Each structure stands twice: as structure tokens, then as C-alpha cells.
């Protein structure tokens, strides 16, 4: 783990985390701090607790239990000593800190008009550790290429949380921007102009507008911008050839993606879903799928620390849609350029 992230923690927590073996620190994926409850770490698909002496243990009874003071000090550091400055983030339940690390928060909500206005009495933190894994898209990208258009297909990456969607998306953006297609027939294609809408500041981890992660030489980033609005802004102002967005699912996201498609821009996005059945069970994603928005679906699965992918083409996805609906047929209208071919 990088030293700057350790410095985020108050002394009582940091001292114990720093005592963990270096190999374990480097493989950490999340740290869960809960007031009065065991300090927990996640790594490589597994988890353990941290005891007062700074060792990983399996029995929660042996774990260190963060105090109210630990949690108060951590919240102060996470919010840079200004709850007001991150009020919008608190309303959404997370804060993104330098380096693209996302801190999930839970506590008592303050409602206004039936909607969450603020979060107070924060007693749970989930620190999700962001890392660049350069080259992790190497085995996948060749399966997503559109040889006719010499670019990438419209692609939806699907998995449950913590399967590596954002990490993979980041490296896809880098490779497409750099023209690193990992395929002998694409050596002369060159890179594409990429636009990234980074609503949660996780993909690029921008510092004053400059990405902390390598997203390639032809990539422009709209940081901390709602996806739907950001997609339209990029298409209008930055003339991207490929747009990238994380965790789509709202109606306005679908509208913006379709507008990008009709503007001739390729789309690479992620969504939370276990499999294609889940995709077609979500109204917004089902609408996009039924209109033939995507030429490829990437299904991620994880066993231990190994992430595997399976690429499903549009035709197989349509068959899955028919199966999921319980109908013999589902009307599918293919959008132009979903897979490089215009369908009747």
C-alpha cells in the first residue's frame, strides 16, 4: 500500500496497519473500520481481522475494535476537516480521496422531503484501495475489436461489486488511447481519442484536473461529473472517438449513451449485475440491450485473487434476453455500429 493512504488513518489505526506484513499490505483491497467492532481487511478475495498488535487474525474476538475517537479522527481526515465541503459526497454515501481511493460511509441519515440530505454519526468506513494494473486488459481487448471500423465495439462490462470492473475499465481506456490493441492485425490502427466521465473520481483519480493514473496520451477526463451530463459535454466539446463511463444504470445514462452512439462515438461502460439475466432484469440496461446498444458484453468472475472474463456477443445476449423473458422472441432493434455492421 502506498504511504499516502496510510497517512489518511489516525495514529491508533495507522500504527496497527503498518505492522502488517508488506506482502499483505501490497495485496490489500479494502479496509473496514467500524466503531466498537473488529477492524477488518480484505485482500485477494479473502478477509481477515487485525489484532491490537498489528497481526492478521481469523477470530474476530482477537481483533482491535476502533474507538469513537478513532472514527471521529478518521472522518476528519477523510473530509479534510470540513464536512460542509463534502456535503454532496456524504449525501451519496462515499468520499473519494487522493489516489482514487473511495471511502464508503455509513451512519445516521438526516432526511429532507423523504430524501437523504446529510449523513451524521458516521460509524462505519469502507476504504476501497485503487490501484493501476497496467496491461490487465491485454487478454480482453483483442476480443472487443471491430476490424471494419478499426476501433473497439460498444462494450458493457458486467459483474458484481469488487470483481475488478473499474480497474479493467481504466486499463482499457489507456490501451485504446495509446493504440495498444494487443492484436497483430491492429498494429497500424493507432490510438483513439478517449473521453472519460469519472463521476466518482475513481477511474483517473484526478488532482486538480490532471489524472493520477495513466489513461493514455489521447484521453480527456471530466472529473466528479454526473455521467449523463458529462457524456453529452464530452461529445459536444472534446470530439472523442470512444467514451468511457463507470456504473451506468439510470434512465438519463441510457439517453446519453444513445446520443453518443448516434454521434458516431463508441461506448465502453460498466454496470453492476451478476450475469446477463441480471442485466435484462434491470429496466435501463434491458432497454439498451433490447435496442442492440452493445456489440459485446464482458462478464467478470473472480476466484481468489484471479479475475476471469467471458465475452458474449450481441446474438448470444439476445438469446439470453429471450430466455430471461420467458418468451419465444424479444424484439431487438440493432443500433448502427453496435458491432461494426449495420443491421436491418
Amino acid at each position: 500500500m502506498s504511504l499516502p493512504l496510510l497517512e489518511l488513518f489516525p495514529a491508533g489505526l495507522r500504527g496497527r496497519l503498518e505492522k502488517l506484513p508488506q506482502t499483505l499490505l501490497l495485496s490489500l483491497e479494502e479496509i473496514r473500520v467500524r466503531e466498537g467492532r473488529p477492524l477488518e481487511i480484505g485482500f485477494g478475495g479473502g478477509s481477515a481481522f487485525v489484532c491490537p498488535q498489528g497481526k492478521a487474525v481469523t477470530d474476530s474476538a482477537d481483533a482491535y475494535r476502533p474507538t469513537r475517537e478513532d472514527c471521529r479522527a478518521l472522518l476528519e481526515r477523510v473530509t479534510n476537516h470540513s464536512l460542509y465541503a463534502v456535503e454532496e459526497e456524504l449525501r451519496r454515501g462515499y468520499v473519494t480521496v487522493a489516489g482514487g481511493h473511495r471511502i464508503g460511509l455509513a451512519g445516521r441519515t438526516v432526511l429532507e422531503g423523504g430524501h437523504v440530505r446529510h449523513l451524521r454519526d458516521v460509524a462505519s468506513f469502507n476504504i476501497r484501495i485503487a490501484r493501476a494494473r497496467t496491461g490487465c486488459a491485454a487478454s480482453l481487448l483483442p476480443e472487443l475489436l471491430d476490424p471494419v471500423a478499426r476501433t473497439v465495439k460498444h462494450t458493457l462490462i458486467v459483474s458484481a461489486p469488487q470483481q475488478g470492473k473499474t480497474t479493467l475499465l481504466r486499463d482499457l481506456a489507456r490501451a485504446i488511447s495509446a493504440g495498444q490493441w494487443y492484436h497483430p492485425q491492429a498494429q497500424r490502427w493507432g490510438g483513439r481519442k478517449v473521453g472519460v466521465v469519472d463521476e466518482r473520481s475513481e477511474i483517473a483519480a484526478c488532482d486538480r484536473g490532471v489524472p493520477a493514473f495513466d489513461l493514455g496520451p489521447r484521453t480527456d477526463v471530466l472529473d466528479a461529473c454526473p455521467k449523463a451530463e458529462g457524456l453529452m459535454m464530452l461529445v459536444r466539446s472534446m470530439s472523442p472517438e470512444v467514451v468511457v463511463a463507470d456504473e451506468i444504470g439510470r434512465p438519463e445514462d441510457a439517453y446519453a449513451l444513445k446520443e453518443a452512439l448516434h454521434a458516431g462515438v463508441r461506448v465502453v461502460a460498466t454496470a453492476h449485475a451478476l450475469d446477463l439475466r441480471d442485466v435484462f432484469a434491470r429496466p435501463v440496461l434491458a432497454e439498451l440491450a433490447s435496442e442492440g446498444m452493445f456489440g459485446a458484453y464482458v462478464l467478470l468472475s473472480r476466484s481468489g485473487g484471479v479475475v476471469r472474463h467471458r465475452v458474449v456477443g450481441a446474438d448470444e445476449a439476445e438469446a439470453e434476453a429471450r430466455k430471461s423473458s420467458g418468451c419465444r422472441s424479444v424484439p431487438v432493434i440493432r443500433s448502427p455500429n453496435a458491432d461494426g455492421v449495420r443491421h436491418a
Side-chain angles (χ1 to χ4, degrees):
M1 186 197 304
S2 64
L3 185 60
L5 183 57
L6 280 177
E7 291 176 348
L8 177 71
F9 293 87
L13 295 173
R14 183 172 68 248
R16 291 172 171 86
L17 293 169
E18 286 178 332
K19 292 178 181 178
L20 292 170
Q22 186 69 12
T23 53
L24 182 54
L25 284 174
L26 292 175
S27 66
L28 283 186
E29 296 173 357
E30 66 176 23
I31 302 169
R32 290 184 175 267
V33 178
R34 304 176 176 101
E35 182 181 328
R37 289 156 290 173
L39 176 62
E40 185 181 12
I41 53 176
F43 51 89
S47 65
F49 301 101
V50 180
C51 74
Q53 293 75 35
K55 296 180 180 179
V57 296
T58 56
D59 190 344
S60 62
D62 297 329
Y64 176 72
R65 295 173 182 264
T67 65
R68 176 164 296 186
E69 178 58 27
D70 287 331
C71 292
R72 186 200 63 78
L74 179 57
L75 183 62
E76 287 284 310
R77 290 168 176 264
V78 166
T79 61
N80 200 23
H81 306 281
S82 176
L83 290 173
Y84 176 77
V86 295
E87 186 174 2
E88 181 59 32
E89 288 91 336
L90 289 174
R91 184 181 297 120
R92 292 182 296 189
Y94 66 87
V95 174
T96 306
V97 299
H101 313 292
R102 189 166 76 176
I103 318 295
L105 306 166
R108 181 183 178 186
T109 60
V110 178
L111 302 181
E112 185 176 89
H115 299 282
V116 176
R117 182 178 182 275
H118 191 59
L119 190 64
R120 58 177 298 182
D121 298 333
V122 176
S124 293
F125 303 78
N126 179 20
I127 296 90
R128 295 178 58 180
I129 300 164
R131 289 191 181 89
R133 299 193 185 277
T134 302
C136 69
S139 62
L140 169 64
L141 187 52
E143 299 183 63
L144 306 180
L145 300 186
D146 178 351
V148 176
R150 296 163 66 94
T151 186
V152 68
K153 296 177 182 179
H154 296 294
T155 301
L156 182 66
I157 302 170
V158 174
S159 82
Q162 281 198 281
Q163 303 293 300
K165 291 190 299 297
T166 302
T167 302
L168 180 60
L169 189 68
R170 183 186 299 123
D171 198 53
L172 283 170
R174 179 201 60 79
I176 294 168
S177 174
Q180 194 172 2
W181 302 101
Y182 301 107
H183 194 289
Q185 296 181 7
Q187 288 180 351
R188 299 182 182 274
W189 287 9
R192 297 289 174 264
K193 293 179 291 183
V194 177
V196 175
V197 184
D198 198 2
E199 182 170 1
R200 295 175 173 83
S201 302
E202 288 183 293
I203 303 172
C206 285
D207 181 8
R208 299 183 181 182
V210 179
F213 290 122
D214 179 10
L215 296 184
R218 300 176 181 86
T219 300
D220 302 296
V221 181
L222 271 178
D223 184 41
C225 180
K227 284 184 287 291
E229 188 174 355
L231 286 166
M232 300 303 295
M233 289 173 63
L234 283 172
V235 170
R236 286 194 300 262
S237 63
M238 302 305 295
S239 65
E241 296 168 288
V242 179
V243 292
V244 170
D246 208 4
E247 298 184 14
I248 64 170
R250 294 173 296 185
E252 55 267 34
D253 298 340
Y255 175 81
L257 290 175
K258 286 188 279 188
E259 287 297 303
L261 181 147
H262 293 306
V265 180
R266 295 300 168 106
V267 171
V268 181
T270 71
H272 282 320
L274 288 176
D275 50 28
L276 285 176
R277 288 178 180 268
D278 268 6
V279 169
F280 299 119
R282 297 180 61 185
V284 171
L285 297 180
E287 176 189 345
L288 291 172
S290 68
E291 294 182 8
M293 172 76 193
F294 300 106
Y297 297 80
V298 180
L299 307 178
L300 298 183
S301 61
R302 180 171 182 169
S303 178
V306 179
V307 177
R308 295 180 174 85
H309 72 263
R310 180 168 72 94
V311 178
V312 176
D315 290 339
E316 185 178 343
E318 290 168 19
E320 187 68 36
R322 289 192 291 270
K323 188 188 304 181
S324 299
S325 69
C327 301
R328 295 186 60 187
S329 64
V330 171
V332 176
I333 304 171
R334 290 286 188 87
S335 297
N337 299 321
D339 54 7
V341 180
R342 185 178 296 273
H343 297 259

